[in-house]
Amino acid sequence: MFQRFIYQLQRFMYGRYGGDSLNIFLLILGLIISFAAQISGVFWIGLFAYIPEIYFIFRVLSRNIPARQRELRVFQKVWFPVKNFFTRTCGGWFKYQAEKFRYRSVYKYFSCPKCGQHLRAPRGRGKILVTCQKCHTEFKKKV
Ligand SMILES: [Zn+2]
């Protein structure tokens, strides 16, 4: 039953464009707009969600593959600099938050009170004397 469905889907999608990163972007954009409409309670904002959603469906089912690939290249030209900008500016912060979360049971994370350097120490040792790696300030910290 499931295999039959997959087979029919594959046959239906044969020669059609399908998914790419622009389609994922359109899908997420549509979701964000409908979400914004929901939380703001402004009904007509939700109507704008149809624009990326319809464009998404149109692109998935399109048989004009060269045209869709041209759109993807235009999209990438705009998107890559934006993505790189955010990776440069916020990438380190996200990485640090992810590390903090991953090792939250092993290490206590904190910042140097003088220079703001990120520091960590193994948990469960009680009150310890910390020396900052960067500015060598000493301070007491409960871990
Ligand atoms: Zn410091």
Side-chain angles (χ1 to χ4, degrees):
M1 175 64 202
F2 183 68
Q3 273 177 336
R4 215 184 121 97
F5 172 74
I6 294 290
Y7 171 74
Q8 280 182 339
L9 191 71
Q10 274 174 345
R11 234 181 61 171
F12 176 71
M13 286 305 294
Y14 182 77
R16 292 175 197 268
Y17 185 67
D20 63 9
S21 55
L22 173 53
N23 275 349
I24 293 167
F25 177 80
L26 289 169
L27 204 62
I28 292 170
L29 184 66
L31 286 174
I32 290 170
I33 296 171
S34 22
F35 187 68
Q38 289 246 321
I39 54 169
S40 66
V42 185
F43 154 78
W44 55 264
I45 293 176
L47 297 177
F48 284 97
Y50 286 112
I51 299 167
E53 301 295 0
I54 290 168
Y55 190 36
F56 164 78
I57 293 165
F58 163 75
R59 291 189 81 248
V60 168
L61 301 180
S62 172
R63 289 181 194 278
N64 189 350
I65 290 168
R68 302 292 81 80
Q69 283 170 339
R70 271 200 300 278
E71 286 167 0
L72 177 65
R73 277 199 292 277
V74 172
F75 165 71
Q76 285 173 337
K77 238 182 214 160
V78 180
W79 175 245
F80 285 161
V82 174
K83 199 174 128 189
N84 286 342
F85 172 77
F86 278 106
T87 314
R88 263 204 320 274
T89 51
C90 324
W93 184 82
F94 277 111
K95 243 177 151 170
Y96 181 62
Q97 297 307 316
E99 190 199 305
K100 249 166 97 165
F101 184 74
R102 192 167 165 199
Y103 298 108
R104 66 193 181 283
S105 57
V106 189
Y107 293 107
K108 172 106 181 175
Y109 287 83
F110 47 90
S111 306
C112 168
K114 200 177 165 198
C115 72
Q117 168 74 24
H118 291 317
L119 301 165
R120 69 176 194 189
R123 278 183 186 278
R125 286 199 186 160
K127 223 169 186 171
I128 57 163
L129 189 68
V130 182
T131 308
C132 174
Q133 303 159 340
K134 205 172 160 191
C135 68
H136 306 291
T137 302
E138 288 188 342
F139 57 97
K140 282 201 177 98
K141 188 88 202 167
K142 198 172 167 285
V143 293

